[in-house]
Amino acid sequence: MTNVTSSDVHTTKKFKSRRQEKLALKNAQSNKSYVNQTAFRACERIYRTRLPPPDFTEVIDFENLASNTQQNLDRIVKIELKHDLTELSPLFGESRNDAKLCYTLRDFPGLVVIPQAFSPSAQKNIIKSCLRDHAKHPNLSNLDAHYVVPDGGIWNLYEKEAKGEISPEDPSYYVPLKDMSDSEDKVGVYGDAPKETNLSVLPPSQLIRRLRWITCGYQYNWLDKTYALEKRYPFPEDIGDIASAVAKAIEGVGHIEMDGSGYVNQYEGSKFKPEAGVINYYQLKDSLMAHVDKSEINMDAPLVSFSLGHSCIYLLGGTTRDVPPVAIYLRSGDVLAMCGPCRAAFHGVPRILESTLPDYLKTNPEDPDWDIYASFVNEARINVNVRQVF
């Protein structure tokens, strides 16, 4: 391990306290010790580090093109969508002049990013449905592995608690833990799910913060990374309509270089079927490590994803972790699609960016019904991704 001294991390950065300096030194020593780490892992560590904060200069920003380095500007290609998203579905909100613009990257063929695809009011509506309507049975969540989650979901209890409609004295206030001695609770979409020793019965306001994901349509076995084909539930209509609209809009989108390299998405949008999806509920300190989504039989269909709430750093690499990834800002309202060769690429989210919640998603005295949702997204990012399985 290479020795790292205080002077190595203190050359330009002034720390507010001795504790911050010690944390920065610890991070620097940790990063120096991983001499055999892959290129993707090294990049993950850079953006996960908080003290000292990472250099975001190289992060691609599709929303503010002028802020990009010249190297990144040279790799960005602006393209017009086949259709205006707002004409394909009212769920994107009111029409805008830039509703047909998207971007791809010369050196990462198959990636399509549509910045600010949703209006502010449309984003609010989707956030509401992701928390109120979809995070409940029959859709299964990470909480179902260990808690006897009521059919109405945790959000329903959280709303009742916030409104003072239930109290700790009510029998339904606390969600009980499962009896893991029952073997039937250990199998299914969770695989082997032994009881965790640090789990406890919590009030709804705390338990809702433990929600990390729910699965839509075909349920997913996270351990063996296969779909539980016998567990297919109705796919949420709004999320399905959004993903289908994106699939139609990106048909024919891509870029071919002079030497013939590159990619143009030829998947017919009318054939896209939203059959499986995951809604991720990130808290501010959460991350998603490098992975490839390859459980679908149909790898030709695009994977459609959209972001809500806080911004994040999204990393996209190649078919192995040894390929250096590119870092991209994804903000609330952005849509990302992975097509063709991009479907086999490693990707991940090493960092949720604190204090990046748009003002229109914060509490608003003119919209008191939004306050409970604003309270949640004030410390969270929601990501929805939709796939065609067959």
Side-chain angles (χ1 to χ4, degrees):
M1 172 177 167
T2 304
N3 289 326
V4 180
T5 66
S6 178
S7 61
D8 294 326
V9 298
H10 206 38
T11 53
T12 60
K13 175 68 177 177
K14 292 184 177 180
F15 300 98
K16 295 181 179 180
S17 67
R18 179 63 177 166
R19 177 178 177 274
Q20 285 191 355
E21 185 176 356
K22 286 182 177 179
L23 285 172
L25 179 61
K26 180 180 179 181
N27 286 330
Q29 291 173 332
S30 176
N31 288 334
K32 289 273 188 178
S33 66
Y34 289 90
V35 293
N36 295 319
Q37 64 185 337
T38 65
F40 204 112
R41 183 59 175 147
C43 196
E44 286 176 325
R45 289 185 178 280
I46 289 173
Y47 289 110
R48 280 175 60 87
T49 301
R50 284 177 163 76
L51 285 174
D55 181 359
F56 294 104
T57 304
E58 296 299 325
V59 182
I60 292 179
D61 191 343
F62 290 112
E63 188 173 333
N64 304 296
L65 292 180
S67 66
N68 289 278
T69 64
Q70 187 58 51
Q71 180 183 3
N72 281 340
L73 285 174
D74 291 341
R75 74 205 312 184
I76 295 173
V77 182
K78 183 190 292 187
I79 306 173
E80 188 170 288
L81 294 167
K82 184 176 182 179
H83 301 281
D84 182 327
L85 286 172
T86 61
E87 295 177 357
L88 290 174
S89 172
L91 297 172
F92 291 95
E94 60 271 15
S95 181
R96 304 176 307 283
N97 293 332
D98 58 351
K100 289 192 70 174
L101 290 181
C102 69
Y103 299 89
T104 188
L105 298 176
R106 299 179 190 277
D107 45 350
F108 288 87
L111 171 72
V112 180
V113 176
I114 311 173
Q116 294 299 294
F118 302 90
S119 70
S121 59
Q123 292 175 47
K124 283 187 173 183
N125 290 335
I126 302 168
I127 289 171
K128 287 180 179 179
S129 69
C130 286
L131 291 168
R132 178 191 61 208
D133 303 327
H134 305 323
K136 62 182 181 181
H137 295 165
N139 300 329
L140 297 177
S141 75
N142 62 297
L143 296 177
D144 283 284
H146 300 289
Y147 290 89
V148 185
V149 177
D151 288 345
I154 305 300
W155 185 263
N156 180 50
L157 288 178
Y158 172 49
E159 279 196 311
K160 289 182 177 180
E161 179 190 29
K163 295 176 181 178
E165 296 175 0
I166 57 173
S167 67
E169 289 71 36
D170 294 305
S172 63
Y173 181 82
Y174 290 104
V175 177
L177 288 165
K178 282 185 174 180
D179 179 3
M180 300 307 289
S181 63
D182 184 352
S183 61
E184 291 185 2
D185 287 333
K186 296 183 180 181
V187 297
V189 295
Y190 310 102
D192 183 16
K195 185 174 181 179
E196 298 180 18
T197 57
N198 64 340
L199 290 176
S200 59
V201 175
L202 299 170
S205 56
Q206 293 183 36
L207 191 56
I208 193 65
R209 292 291 176 184
R210 301 288 183 94
L211 178 67
R212 288 298 181 270
W213 53 260
I214 67 103
T215 45
C216 309
Y218 283 111
Q219 299 300 291
Y220 195 67
N221 188 312
W222 295 92
L223 288 183
D224 63 17
K225 301 186 185 307
T226 60
Y227 287 102
L229 299 182
E230 74 284 0
K231 291 182 180 293
R232 184 186 184 184
Y233 303 128
F235 200 88
E237 184 176 345
D238 58 345
I239 293 173
D241 286 350
I242 290 168
S244 296
V246 172
K248 293 175 183 176
I250 64 175
E251 185 180 334
V253 167
H255 177 74
I256 301 297
E257 297 286 344
M258 294 293 292
D259 61 3
S261 62
Y263 176 79
V264 174
N265 172 43
Q266 300 294 349
Y267 195 83
E268 294 183 40
S270 60
K271 292 184 177 180
F272 182 82
K273 297 179 181 179
E275 296 176 324
V278 180
I279 302 177
N280 294 299
Y281 305 88
Y282 293 89
Q283 298 298 297
L284 294 182
K285 300 299 183 183
D286 290 343
S287 61
L288 181 64
M289 304 303 287
H291 66 285
V292 178
D293 298 299
K294 55 183 179 181
S295 301
E296 295 74 38
I297 304 300
N298 184 348
M299 291 290 287
D300 295 323
L303 187 155
V304 177
S305 170
F306 47 96
S307 300
L308 302 158
H310 278 77
S311 303
C312 77
I313 298 295
Y314 174 84
L315 297 182
L316 176 66
T319 55
T320 73
R321 290 184 174 88
D322 295 320
V323 177
V326 63
I328 299 170
Y329 284 117
L330 288 182
R331 295 185 173 87
S332 189
D334 290 352
V335 168
L336 181 148
M338 302 175 71
C339 313
C342 194
R343 287 287 276 112
F346 278 91
H347 56 282
V349 178
R351 179 74 170 269
I352 310 299
L353 298 171
E354 301 91 336
S355 303
T356 56
L357 187 71
D359 288 342
Y360 55 78
L361 293 182
K362 296 178 181 178
T363 55
N364 184 348
E366 297 181 2
D367 186 10
D369 291 339
W370 171 250
D371 286 355
I372 189 170
Y373 299 96
S375 176
F376 183 88
V377 295
N378 190 54
E379 301 177 39
R381 171 183 180 253
I382 297 175
N383 171 259
V384 182
N385 60 83
V386 182
R387 308 101 181 275
Q388 179 170 342
V389 178
F390 295 104

